[in-house]
Amino acid sequence: MTNSLVLNCGTYITMYGDMKKLFLAISFILLTTAFSIDAMAQVGFLPEFLGNANASKPGFALKFFPSYFYQEGINAHDAEAAFEPQFWIPGFTGDANKDQLQFVIHIPVGYRIQDTRGGGRASVTGIGTLMTAIEHYLHVIDTEDLEFWFDNGITGTYPTATDNRGVSISGNRYLLRIGSDAYSVGWYQENFIRYKKWIFTISPIALNWAFRDSETNVRNGLAITIMNSAFGYQVVPWAHLGLNIGMQVGNIVGDEDAAGNNLPDTWRAWAGPAGLFAIDDNTSLQMAILIDTYTKNINRGQGIF
């Protein structure tokens, strides 16, 4: 098997308490959605970006994920743009320096095209799987040389996929689509550690349970993501450079195809360089090049984001 290359990037734009900035953010989302066929968003798998898992300032923030993913074997191209409005408030202590709560809506919009059995091409454009999340951030340590955030989050996804029905691929009839028409619930644990010029973003475990898909009648059941992490070093005051690693296992238990049979387990492990770049006090750019180091029962891919 050949290795595959994936590059993800995200732009974190933070805006606080200014309705004019909020209006501009919403206009930006609507404008990009109108031209979604040329946009990109997070496709394939979700890396832990360098610098994640530490709380922001209370107020409104917007995170934007452009990405592209190519899958071998079916010659599939995914280009999407995911928008993530966020709202931060002080946590249970009432002190934003000690803990915070984050409320998130993740909205992917994009375009997919791939081969069909007859040698043609089929495509679909629209909204992918909508996700909501609530995360609690606890500031455990905050000194000049050492900082530590301990976080826990819960997620839910909704059957909002856009599909192109009846596409014939590899001799079978499939829905060609963006996203999934199944509900799911999840939990994850994250940590942010800063030691002098080193930063570490570590999610040791994340669990997700996917219910039955209303269109395909497939249930994916339990998936686990292990050591989804990024770590890096501050090379200049405005930039950290480092490494991403992670592994994801799907269809572990509770999985079932449309005929009632178990689905094969899927495995994906990745690694690659990562970067965090400060643009100004309210904006940063997080990037990661991800290289598949191992896959099983899942299409390998390559891309640039």
Side-chain angles (χ1 to χ4, degrees):
M1 293 183 179
T2 57
N3 286 339
S4 61
L5 175 67
V6 180
L7 172 63
N8 286 287
C9 64
T11 304
Y12 195 177
I13 305 169
T14 310
M15 305 166 223
Y16 308 102
D18 188 328
M19 293 307 295
K20 185 179 293 185
K21 290 181 179 180
L22 178 58
F23 173 76
L24 289 173
I26 294 172
S27 299
F28 174 69
I29 292 174
L30 294 176
L31 178 62
T32 310
T33 301
F35 293 97
S36 61
I37 194 167
D38 294 321
M40 305 184 198
Q42 206 131 335
V43 189
F45 47 93
L46 302 178
E48 187 66 84
F49 281 113
L50 184 62
N52 276 5
N54 62 327
S56 184
K57 300 174 183 178
F60 173 78
L62 174 65
K63 200 165 188 175
F64 171 62
F65 297 95
S67 72
Y68 164 83
F69 193 68
Y70 173 75
Q71 289 179 291
E72 300 171 4
I74 55 175
N75 193 22
H77 301 264
D78 289 278
E80 301 177 8
F83 304 93
E84 192 173 280
Q86 305 175 348
F87 191 71
W88 302 76
I89 61 173
F92 302 116
T93 65
D95 184 348
N97 292 319
K98 294 181 178 179
D99 75 325
Q100 290 190 39
L101 285 167
Q102 178 197 42
F103 303 86
V104 169
I105 302 176
H106 189 83
I107 310 165
V109 181
Y111 172 74
R112 178 180 176 88
I113 186 169
Q114 71 179 63
D115 288 343
T116 63
R117 187 188 181 195
R121 303 281 282 164
S123 65
V124 58
T125 305
I127 295 175
T129 302
L130 181 69
M131 183 194 75
T132 57
I134 302 174
E135 186 167 359
H136 177 254
Y137 293 73
L138 179 63
H139 211 178
V140 180
I141 301 173
D142 187 14
T143 67
E144 182 178 352
D145 288 337
L146 180 62
E147 185 176 14
F148 175 39
W149 288 87
F150 179 83
D151 317 329
N152 285 273
I154 55 174
T155 63
T157 66
Y158 307 89
T160 55
T162 303
D163 61 58
N164 182 352
R165 298 170 184 269
V167 176
S168 179
I169 301 168
S170 301
N172 298 302
R173 303 292 286 181
Y174 287 102
L175 295 174
L176 175 60
R177 64 182 174 182
I178 300 170
S180 171
D181 272 325
Y183 290 97
S184 75
V185 293
W187 164 82
Y188 57 94
Q189 200 280 315
E190 287 185 309
N191 307 277
F192 173 82
I193 301 168
R194 176 188 56 81
Y195 177 68
K196 296 184 178 179
K197 292 188 175 183
W198 288 93
I199 59 172
F200 303 84
T201 298
I202 302 170
S203 177
I205 188 169
L207 307 177
N208 188 77
W209 182 273
F211 295 94
R212 193 172 299 277
D213 190 292
S214 60
E215 294 289 342
T216 64
N217 204 31
V218 171
R219 184 179 65 220
N220 289 107
L222 179 65
I224 299 179
T225 304
I226 303 168
M227 288 306 295
N228 190 10
S229 306
F231 51 90
Y233 184 79
Q234 185 182 41
V235 292
V236 292
W238 51 270
H240 289 76
L241 298 178
L243 182 70
N244 277 94
I245 60 172
M247 183 172 70
Q248 190 175 73
V249 186
N251 304 334
I252 298 173
V253 295
D255 53 281
E256 190 177 85
D257 66 15
N261 303 309
N262 288 336
L263 296 168
D265 293 347
T266 61
W267 292 73
R268 165 173 267 139
W270 62 87
L276 170 63
F277 308 95
I279 298 173
D280 58 34
D281 290 341
N282 291 329
T283 311
S284 65
L285 176 67
Q286 299 163 294
M287 302 184 69
I289 297 174
L290 302 180
I291 301 168
D292 277 345
T293 57
Y294 176 76
T295 60
K296 180 183 177 182
N297 296 324
I298 189 170
N299 285 316
R300 307 191 75 169
Q302 54 188 335
I304 186 166
F305 293 65

